[in-house]
Amino acid sequence: MSDESEKKQASSDVLSVGTRVLVRRRSEAATGVIVEDYAELTDTAERGHEWAPVHRWAVALDDGRLVFADIEDLTVDIGK
């Protein structure tokens, strides 16, 4: 089985709190679990926070770090 068949590109309908994901950034990739969804806070137009946008997903990485990511940074990890 290839890596491609074990990972599914993330979309908001498959992501939820408790989903295992692979977080990909320019400098690294790490796996973890989504612990919070900030969807209702991501529309910053009304709040005047365009200079500091809210990332939708909080992810507890397996190495102990907490990161915040957008949907394009995530891939569903069904490997574990």
Side-chain angles (χ1 to χ4, degrees):
M1 194 176 261
S2 72
D3 286 338
E4 292 300 315
S5 64
E6 292 181 17
K7 304 229 184 289
K8 183 175 182 179
Q9 184 61 39
S11 67
S12 59
D13 59 330
V14 297
L15 295 176
S16 63
V17 172
T19 302
R20 283 203 55 80
V21 292
L22 174 66
V23 182
R24 293 180 188 258
R25 300 279 172 86
R26 283 184 226 146
S27 60
E28 68 175 329
T31 56
V33 176
I34 294 175
V35 294
E36 189 61 63
D37 179 358
Y38 294 105
E40 58 190 50
L41 299 176
T42 58
D43 181 16
T44 58
E46 295 178 9
R47 295 181 186 88
H49 292 96
E50 291 178 11
W51 51 271
V54 175
H55 298 290
R56 179 170 178 176
W57 305 102
V59 181
L61 298 179
D62 295 340
D63 66 8
R65 293 180 291 157
L66 177 67
V67 297
F68 297 90
D70 295 314
I71 198 159
E72 59 270 7
D73 301 325
L74 304 177
T75 303
V76 175
D77 181 10
I78 59 172
K80 277 192 173 180

